[in-house]
């Protein structure tokens, strides 16, 4: 009489094989033969990778300057002339570019969170793009004799969600983010004194 369920090591091997099938690359890709894995539902289009985004953020975090020094009020002063103003802006943007990047992302996040309609518009865009992309995987989408690539699909999703973005005041939000970013970064870059090493580097540059 045969056993109805695997036991001991056979059970572990069976569970490992199922886990492997669940997260295998073949199943994760919508064009794979399986398509039953969890990752199949979370698959991203070619060119979009969570690991790439994480790698980019990690590089920015490594190059970020200490925030205590970034906002140290003792190191802020009015530039003596226009030439010094330009030198400060150029060197500080180069030195604190990672800090400025996170400030920009923070302003975008604040703008999105503080506007429920904008959240709805982004959800509509993401949903439209996801549906269009799934349709393109089932069969090629052709418009005016041309196959829709991923950028074309994003453009189409943007056109579909454009009325919602208009109702959400996305244009005003974009201008607010850009204006706030230029004001914050410009003010810091102009009034933040240069570090000693930056001053020495400027003095060593040929005229």
């Amino acid at each position: 009489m045969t056993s109805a369920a695997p036991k001991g090591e056979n059970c572990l091997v069976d569970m490992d094989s199922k886990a492997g099938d669940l997260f295998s690359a073949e199943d994760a890709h919508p064009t794979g033969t399986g398509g039953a894995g969890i990752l199949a539902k979370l698959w991203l289009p070619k060119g979009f990778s969570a690991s790439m985004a994480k790698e980019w953020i990690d590089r920015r975090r490594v190059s970020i300057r200490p925030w205590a020094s970034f906002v140290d009020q003792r190191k802020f002063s009015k530039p003596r002339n226009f030439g010094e103003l330009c030198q400060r802006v150029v060197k500080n943007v180069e030195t604190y570019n990672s800090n400025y990047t996170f400030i920009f992302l923070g302003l975008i996040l604040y703008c999105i969170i503080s506007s429920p309609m904008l959240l709805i518009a982004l959800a509509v865009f993401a949903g439209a793009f996801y549906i269009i992309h799934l349709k393109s995987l089932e069969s090629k989408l052709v418009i005016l004799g041309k196959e829709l690539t991923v950028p074309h699909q994003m453009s189409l999703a943007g056109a579909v969600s454009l009325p919602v973005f208009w109702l959400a005041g996305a244009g005003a939000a974009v201008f607010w983010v850009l204006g706030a970013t230029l004001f914050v970064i410009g003010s810091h870059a102009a009034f933040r004194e240069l570090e000693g090493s930056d001053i020495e580097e400027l003095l060593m540059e040929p005229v």
Side-chain angles (χ1 to χ4, degrees):
M1 183 174 182
T2 59
S3 176
K7 296 181 180 180
E9 294 181 357
N10 293 334
C11 180
L12 295 176
V13 172
D14 183 68
M15 293 299 293
D16 289 342
S17 63
K18 289 184 178 180
D21 293 339
L22 189 64
F23 294 97
S24 64
E26 183 180 6
D27 288 341
H29 199 289
T31 59
T33 57
I38 291 177
L39 293 184
K41 301 178 181 179
L42 302 178
W43 182 83
L44 294 174
K46 185 177 181 181
F48 292 85
S49 171
S51 60
M52 290 175 60
K54 183 178 182 301
E55 182 181 353
W56 181 84
I57 293 176
D58 289 340
R59 286 202 306 266
R60 287 294 179 179
R61 290 179 61 183
V62 169
S63 61
I64 200 170
R65 294 301 181 98
W67 289 103
S69 174
F70 181 80
V71 298
D72 190 355
Q73 297 181 359
R74 297 170 298 178
K75 296 185 178 181
F76 285 83
S77 65
K78 182 180 177 180
R80 290 170 295 182
N81 50 55
F82 183 73
E84 183 179 6
L85 172 66
C86 294
Q87 289 180 347
R88 286 187 180 185
V89 170
V90 172
K91 292 302 296 183
N92 282 331
V93 169
E94 179 182 342
T95 302
Y96 298 105
N97 64 85
S98 292
N99 300 71
Y100 294 153
T101 299
F102 279 104
I103 289 176
F104 175 64
L105 295 177
L107 289 172
I108 293 178
L109 184 62
Y110 170 77
C111 184
I112 293 175
I113 293 176
S114 61
S115 176
M117 279 298 296
L118 198 55
L119 282 173
I120 295 175
L122 290 173
V124 171
F125 170 77
F129 173 69
Y130 185 68
I131 293 173
I132 294 171
H133 187 70
L134 287 182
K135 293 294 183 181
S136 70
L137 295 176
E138 295 175 0
S139 60
K140 292 183 179 180
L141 297 180
V142 180
I143 295 181
L144 299 177
K146 293 185 178 180
E147 182 182 352
L148 292 184
T149 61
V150 172
H152 294 151
Q153 295 169 21
M154 294 186 69
S155 300
L156 182 59
V160 171
S161 57
L162 183 60
V164 186
F165 276 104
W166 181 77
L167 291 174
V174 170
F175 281 110
W176 182 89
V177 170
L178 292 177
T181 300
L182 289 175
F183 175 77
V184 173
I185 294 178
S187 299
H188 182 275
F191 291 98
R192 177 62 164 80
E193 297 177 356
L194 299 179
E195 300 290 346
S197 58
D198 293 332
I199 297 177
E200 292 178 1
E201 183 179 343
L202 287 174
L203 292 176
M204 293 176 62
E205 289 182 356
V207 179

